Amino acid sequence: MSEGDERRAGEHIRTTPAESHREREIDHVLEALDPDRERPHDVVLSKDLSLSFGENRILSGVNIEFRRGTITALIGPTGCGKSTFLRTLNRMNDKVSGFRYEGDVTLEGASIFGPDQNLLHLRRRVGMVFQRPNPFPMSIRDNVVAGVKAHQIAKGKQLDVVAEERLRQVGLWGHVKDRLNDSPFRLSGGQQQLLCLARALAVGPEVLLLDEPTSALDPISTELVESLLRKLTPALTLIIVTHNLGQARRASDHTMFLYGGKLVEHGPTAELFERPKEPSTEHYVTGRMG
Amino acid sequence: MAAVSGAATGGTPPVAARPPTKRDPLLQRIRSSVWANEHHLWGWGGRISAAAPFVALVLTVLVLAFKAWPAVKVNGAHFLIGTDWKPGSTYGAVTYTNGVPHPLGVSYGAWPVIVGTLESSGIALLIALPISVGAAFALTERLPRWIAEILRYAVEILAGVPSVLIGLWGALTLGPLLANDVYPFIANHVPDVAGFSYLKGPVGHGEGLLTSGIVLALMIIPIIASTTRTLFAQVPPLPKEGGEALGMTDWEVGRRITIPWVRSGIIGATVLGLGRALGETIAVAMVSGSLLATISPNVYGTMGTIAATLVTQLDSAFVDGTGFEVRTLAELAVVLVLVLLVVNILARFIIRRTGNLSVPLGVGV
Ligand SMILES: Nc1ncnc2c1ncn2[C@@H]1O[C@H](COP(=O)(O)OP(=O)(O)OP(=O)(O)O)[C@@H](O)[C@H]1O
Ligand SMILES: [Mg+2]
């Protein structure tokens, strides 16, 4: 929260008559303190989005909104377009030859494809963690601050602070504090993935896209990552692709089910798993498909 | 390793695998896969042909050293630090030093051509490395496929142009062009800072150090560029995408991820190119001025290199009835081999130092 918000919050208290209902006053204050109060609830909005590679239509007419500070699980059988959808949200598909989209995706109300959308800035705001850990060929410390350097968010000694902070956040600090200048390739797969998460967090994204982030990890590391993701909300909005239905159930607030080139169903996770509306959803979540 | 595979083919109980070399696990893996598992299939024929280049090199150096030994005894340390090159009175009396016959008044100092060799190759590397890496990067990452294919073909053709043609072109066209239009501009416009004085002064007529460096660069760019291009093409997409997803520009992805990913390979390619430059003979002989006893005061002046000296001096060396000058040239050749050896060892050292952060075998997609 910025200083400006606090000051405005203070003014708000003064202008409220002391006699009025205390309850309402507190509500007002809380609302005023909320740094997100003037922003739309839906951080990312997909409007009639259709995606194709060449003549091959992958998804059509996807309408969904991702609410601020929630975790949305993206499930569906293999090849249904989960990764394609996710990668569209930070425009990683732009470079893929043959990729086309129709419809629109907005971030905070502005189209991510718009002419004044700075691609680099967009990717700073919408971060990504990949299925397999992909550390850069530089020291562990430099990995964490690679994006910070690229965006010139910090420099010099500040970088060490950022590195330590982010490594602590993902629970790696204890493991690596004595070998910050070593190669990341000697870390275990799970540790490498945590490092990649730290790296993505370091640039301060608003939305984090995770494409099967734990598929290469053992159950313990998976649990670690899941609890970590929970701690990242409500500051961040997370969208996570997973093949692990248990993970979707445990770790998400909302779930969306892609199947047959469409967004078949989406809703609160418990509801979608307990009372699926569509037969194909039911088949999938009960394990009779995919 | 011969013992290991010999035992395997000979039917005797297999020798226990060597304990892994601590130093170099990569090499260990290569050794265990190629030598232990496949090499016995090749049999002795394979072994001999694999060893042939090495044996040839060792034999050549031995013969050279044998030939050079009497010259070493006469020239002494002066050969490495002296700056004169006097064949003595070839038609005069023969004298003996340490029992070695040689003309009266010989004094051979190779320091100027050793310096010339290192300087010209150093300049070539300074020019060629950024251009090669940049070109390789453009070829793999930036240019449309069909343009990249055409350029790749052009680079391959350039690699195959005989050095005498490049030398001739350098001497007749490039050198005069540079001396008339480019060098004066550089010499007149460099700032008056201490380190830049090498770029000032008389620019000559196009034969000299900088022209040699440029011609050498032309010859090693194809070597470094094509090797580096292959390396870049092998960098897996995942780390690069990771950089893009972080909001890095293509340039940053290249500089921070793609190039470091293959860093040790680029160093290897550079050493390959440097070896070519250090040993390049005829082209340098044509554009350097082929001086023997002069260290150029600036980058434009005429000079000589070890390899060029060998080829330009051999004819007159045979005039020396005592054979001493030929022996001295053999000594010079041994020095060249030593320079190459030092360069290779240095490269290995650098690779080991940077290897700490590089990518181990088996990582990547
Ligand atoms: N670069 C591409 N060019 C052409 N077709 C592609 C490309 N990438 C993906 N596809 C196709 O798009 C479809 C969806 O792929 P996508 O990777 O999004 O599936 P997914 O749901 O993530 O599957 P998985 O669960 O296996 O990761 C697939 O049929 C695939 O063949
Ligand atoms: Mg996928």
Side-chain angles (χ1 to χ4, degrees), chain A:
Chain A
M1 192 179 61
S2 72
E3 284 177 38
D5 292 322
E6 268 173 310
R7 223 174 295 121
R8 257 173 287 157
E11 284 160 16
H12 199 103
I13 296 172
R14 255 177 274 123
T15 55
T16 307
E19 303 80 30
S20 71
H21 302 293
R22 197 164 167 70
E23 287 280 296
R24 260 185 43 210
E25 190 180 326
I26 288 172
D27 275 356
H28 273 295
V29 173
L30 285 181
E31 202 174 302
L33 281 171
D34 181 1
D36 295 329
R37 68 195 176 284
E38 269 150 30
R39 300 152 94 189
H41 265 314
D42 307 319
V43 190
V44 178
L45 205 73
S46 155
K47 285 186 221 158
D48 257 331
L49 188 67
S50 299
L51 309 173
S52 29
F53 290 112
E55 292 308 303
N56 191 6
R57 168 76 52 116
I58 308 296
L59 284 172
S60 37
V62 176
N63 280 297
I64 189 167
E65 59 288 327
F66 297 94
R67 300 199 54 181
R68 187 181 306 286
T70 63
I71 302 182
T72 304
L74 185 44
I75 61 170
T78 197
C80 70
K82 303 184 293 296
S83 299
T84 307
F85 178 76
L86 201 70
R87 289 165 56 91
T88 305
L89 300 184
N90 69 345
R91 291 181 53 186
M92 288 299 286
N93 280 333
D94 280 19
K95 264 195 183 171
V96 179
S97 67
F99 173 76
R100 283 185 299 118
Y101 71 92
E102 285 153 44
D104 199 6
V105 176
T106 61
L107 175 66
E108 301 270 359
S111 168
I112 63 167
F113 301 108
D116 12 292
Q117 188 65 255
N118 177 336
L119 184 59
L120 304 181
H121 193 222
L122 170 74
R123 286 175 178 166
R124 181 183 161 189
R125 296 173 66 193
V126 184
M128 189 159 206
V129 175
F130 295 77
Q131 178 170 5
R132 265 174 294 178
N134 55 350
F136 302 149
M138 49 182 86
S139 71
I140 291 174
R141 169 190 171 278
D142 287 348
N143 258 278
V144 180
V145 297
V148 178
K149 272 192 197 161
H151 290 285
Q152 297 169 348
I153 300 168
K155 60 183 174 190
K157 278 261 175 344
Q158 297 171 316
L159 291 172
D160 294 325
V161 178
V162 173
E164 175 171 351
E165 168 71 18
R166 294 310 178 184
L167 286 168
R168 276 189 197 283
Q169 193 177 2
V170 300
L172 260 188
W173 178 250
H175 288 289
V176 302
K177 65 170 185 288
D178 296 325
R179 41 176 172 153
L180 288 175
N181 291 318
D182 284 4
S183 163
F185 298 107
R186 284 195 268 278
L187 295 173
S188 77
Q191 291 170 333
Q192 289 186 23
Q193 190 66 312
L194 290 174
L195 181 66
C196 293
L197 187 56
R199 181 176 79 192
L201 292 173
V203 295
E206 297 162 41
V207 179
L208 196 57
L209 312 172
L210 304 110
D211 195 347
E212 301 181 47
T214 59
S215 63
L217 305 189
D218 71 293
I220 295 174
S221 313
T222 300
E223 208 182 300
L224 201 82
V225 172
E226 280 174 20
S227 64
L228 193 65
L229 296 184
R230 186 45 82 189
K231 279 186 221 143
L232 294 178
T233 58
L236 267 74
T237 308
L238 305 184
I239 307 174
I240 173 170
V241 170
T242 178
H243 274 293
N244 180 339
L245 296 178
Q247 179 168 68
R249 271 182 115 131
R250 281 190 304 270
S252 73
D253 308 304
H254 296 269
T255 298
M256 55 188 282
F257 174 58
L258 293 180
Y259 177 60
K262 285 199 166 49
L263 172 59
V264 173
E265 188 171 348
H266 67 97
T269 297
E271 210 166 287
L272 188 132
F273 276 91
E274 315 282 313
R275 293 179 297 280
K277 294 190 191 73
E278 302 291 328
S280 56
T281 314
E282 189 179 351
H283 276 191
Y284 189 74
V285 301
T286 53
R288 276 177 279 153
M289 176 175 81

Side-chain angles (χ1 to χ4, degrees), chain B residues 1 11 17 25 51 65-66 73 76 78 94-95 97 105 117 155 167-168 172 183 205-206 218 220 235 265-266 271 359:
Chain B
M1 61 219 164
F66 186 71
K73 285 201 283 188
H78 179 79
V94 174
T95 42
T97 309
T117 304
V155 168
L168 199 61
L172 299 183
Y183 293 168
H205 304 286
L218 274 175
I220 64 176
V235 176
I266 294 178
V271 173
V359 186

